[in-house]
Amino acid sequence: KAGVTQTPRYLIKTRGQQVTLSCSPISGHRSVSWYQQTPGQGLQFLFEYFSETQRNKGNFPGRFSGRQFSNSRSEMNVSTLELGDSALYLCASSFLGQHTDTQYFGPGTRLTVL
Amino acid sequence: AQSVSQHNHHVILSEAASLELGCNYSYGGTVNLFWYVQYPGQHLQLLLKYFSGDPLVKGIKGFEAEFIKSKFSFNLRKPSVQWSDTAEYFCAVIGNQAGTALIFGKGTTLSVSS
């Protein structure tokens, strides 16, 4: 079974631009969660989507948004980029999004904001 | 607020030495506990998890962890480390009401010399 895939793997943007990152979960998984990883803050939960609905959201500004499609693929969007948005963005999928499920992580998208 | 604390930022060991990585959490309700590992150049992957039952859980590659509820701790152990265990280790917690929102510690980098 293929793992979680994320595209693109690397991205360079300038302040004020917007960016869209994509995540394809493991086949059959219906829950997709997004995390931001930075050296200073570590791994922080952004949001979770299940059956095309946002089910849970972390403490991030409204510039961070996402969506999920009927095939469970998910996208996250960051508008009006700031230098502090430079990070590794990780996507994780799980079968039903229950707290007991194992989350399988993708390789991440490395976003650099100049 | 929920939080996870990992005591050691960087641990350096020789092969065959024993390993114990500390993890303490702050959470008011029932928790589910995880250890994830990130080998150089690879995805985050699950080492082991605890939901209920026997507080001593065994994971992959000879790792184990003990949940001590009275100490709010979930320390990771391995009797004899190998060079291939060089990686970053993350402790994480999910509350029963929190869906998939993993709360991670800042991570511990383990360097094993041969």
Side-chain angles (χ1 to χ4, degrees), chain B residues 13-49:
Chain B
L13 295 173
S14 300
E15 274 194 317
S18 64
L19 170 72
E20 181 159 4
L21 301 182
C23 172
N24 285 91
Y25 65 91
S26 170
Y27 193 84
T30 304
V31 293
N32 308 281
L33 298 153
F34 305 78
W35 276 96
Y36 278 85
V37 62
Q38 190 167 34
Y39 297 103
Q42 295 188 27
H43 309 180
L44 266 175
Q45 58 183 282
L46 182 71
L47 265 181
L48 47 78
K49 58 185 179 182

Side-chain angles (χ1 to χ4, degrees), chain B:
Chain B
Q2 303 94 341
S3 65
V4 176
S5 173
Q6 293 183 240
H7 315 301
N8 310 100
H9 180 64
H10 194 181
V11 172
I12 301 172
L13 295 173
S14 300
E15 274 194 317
S18 64
L19 170 72
E20 181 159 4
L21 301 182
C23 172
N24 285 91
Y25 65 91
S26 170
Y27 193 84
T30 304
V31 293
N32 308 281
L33 298 153
F34 305 78
W35 276 96
Y36 278 85
V37 62
Q38 190 167 34
Y39 297 103
Q42 295 188 27
H43 309 180
L44 266 175
Q45 58 183 282
L46 182 71
L47 265 181
L48 47 78
K49 58 185 179 182
Y50 171 81
F51 300 130
S52 63
D54 188 344
L56 183 63
V57 292
K58 295 191 184 300
I60 61 172
K61 304 187 181 187
F63 286 91
E64 64 179 32
E66 185 176 13
F67 170 53
I68 303 180
K69 189 175 180 180
S70 61
K71 295 184 178 180
F72 298 91
S73 71
F74 190 56
N75 291 354
L76 181 71
R77 299 194 292 248
K78 186 171 185 180
S80 175
V81 295
Q82 300 172 310
W83 177 81
S84 58
D85 293 323
T86 295
E88 189 159 16
Y89 293 81
F90 295 90
C91 181
V93 62
I94 290 182
N96 272 4
Q97 307 305 317
T100 61
L102 283 163
I103 297 169
F104 283 91
K106 290 291 178 71
T108 298
T109 300
L110 171 66
S111 299
V112 180
S113 58
S114 55

Side-chain angles (χ1 to χ4, degrees), chain A residues 22-78:
Chain A
S22 181
C23 171
S24 292
I26 291 172
S27 178
H29 284 194
R30 295 170 60 189
S31 169
V32 173
S33 298
W34 289 88
Y35 294 85
Q36 183 195 64
Q37 186 175 19
T38 60
Q41 299 299 318
L43 281 150
Q44 294 184 286
F45 173 78
L46 279 156
F47 31 64
E48 181 220 355
Y49 285 86
F50 181 83
S51 292
E52 302 178 63
T53 301
Q54 187 182 88
R55 195 162 64 170
N56 205 348
K57 189 176 191 307
N59 189 25
F60 279 81
R63 299 185 296 107
F64 291 82
S65 63
R67 59 178 176 168
Q68 186 180 35
F69 302 94
S70 58
N71 62 358
S72 293
R73 190 177 70 84
S74 177
E75 289 181 347
M76 69 163 280
N77 184 275
V78 188

